[in-house]
Amino acid sequence: MAQFFKAKPNRSKQTSAKISLEVTQLDHLGAGIAHLDGKIIFVPGALPGESVRGQLTEQKKRHARATLQQIVTPSPDRVTPKCAHYDQCGGCDLQHLVIDKQRSHKQDALVSLMAKLGQAEVETLAPALIGKEWDYRRRARLATFYDRNTKHTTLGFRAKASKQVIKIAHCPVLATPLSDLILPLSKVLNQLSSKKALGHVELIEANNGHFVVIRMTKAMSDKDTEKLRAFALSYKVSLIVQGNDSDLTLICDTPKILDLGSDELPYYELDNGVKLSFTPGNFVQVNAEINNAMVNQAVDWLSVEANERVLDLFCGVGNFSLPLAKKGAEVIGVEGVPEMVQQARMNATLSGLDKVSFFHTDLSADLSQESWLGKVDKLLLDPARAGAFESLQWLKKMKPKSIVYVSCDPASLARDSESLLKHGYKLTKLGLIDMFPQTHHIEAMALFELS
């Protein structure tokens, strides 16, 4: 019996096709959206109102992706990116859109995602927290790549969705004093005999100066140490080397190990005078101006009163816990990274706050036996991108009257909002926090209150 087989489509031809598109909007990741033959086409780099030519790179049943090949009719909102490395670097992805449109897009995307994914209609849309559009990052981690052929080490940022390290000379979203360190730092790193052992490099602008933190996978020679010491003196920075054992060694006249209580660790101060020391490598908000405004807004929205019991989950080094404690509340901070818990306790001592306690707990695990879990008046959440879904399963034990949720991913915020609504809470306030201008990243704050 003859058998007949249907020929499979040539996917290489499908994905290499050149197409003309009319872009109508942006998705929440900043890519242009167009429609063709009933299918959604995502085109990174394209803007609403533009006619473009693209090349298909991925085909799915209901959507496809294309690279931007030509802008036939540009949007009036399109601007020339300020950064010379914009086309290669994987950091910023919205520099081609004028700043006020970036912010309005993010706010619209936030409200849309909350309604679509979380079924949450907001009562009050708060004014966006905005600040400088450039020169705002007080912290950045740079990658290194050692080329065995040329014996040269490249210092820069990784390309988008790639391990490739893009050499950069400057970064306009980085605080200018940090950006100015990149080229001379690259030069001295290439003078080290142990440059093959280089890992990442962290740049930090703190209230007590500028820091360069270098990860090394093996011990340095005395000559290399001297070269780094000379660099630190010349550029007036604190230079710290982190070894395989995670010890932090300050390169000074006599190199010394820094512990969590050291006065020579970087720290930042909030508007209310709270001082927060932190260890390089651990999380702190990168935008000092917006972080101050965000903390002030969170404290205002929670409206804590003296002696109220407040729970701060994913508390870090005390960014929200200590300002809440300063209002007279009894604050419990919970964090999953042990070193950050220790640092938070020390920060409370430094600020003279004794009505705050910190606990180390995996907040994605079973919390039923945790001593701190119980009735609270207010709850603050500041989770990572994955959100706080597991923690919210214990709401019946906490029973807070109001919840402030600080989010760095509107999709997980929307998902968690659905859980909060089922527990009887209402979304009463929502606001954009523009923590990362020139990128698609959306930070937000939401206030939920028992209805």
Side-chain angles (χ1 to χ4, degrees), residues 223-267:
K223 286 185 178 180
D224 282 354
T225 300
E226 186 52 44
K227 288 173 183 175
L228 292 180
R229 182 186 291 112
F231 173 86
L233 288 171
S234 178
Y235 288 90
K236 297 179 174 60
V237 299
S238 295
L239 199 146
I240 298 171
V241 172
Q242 182 181 26
N244 276 338
D245 54 6
S246 296
D247 280 347
L248 300 172
T249 303
L250 180 66
I251 303 300
C252 50
D253 290 339
T254 303
K256 62 178 178 178
I257 302 293
L258 299 180
D259 58 31
L260 289 179
S262 173
D263 292 337
E264 286 151 320
L265 285 176
Y267 69 82

Side-chain angles (χ1 to χ4, degrees), residues 313-315 334-336 361-365 367 372 388 390-391 394:
L313 299 183
F314 312 93
C315 68
V334 186
E335 168 59 43
T361 303
D362 178 358
L363 288 166
S364 65
L367 305 179
W372 52 263
E390 294 87 356
S391 301
W394 304 93

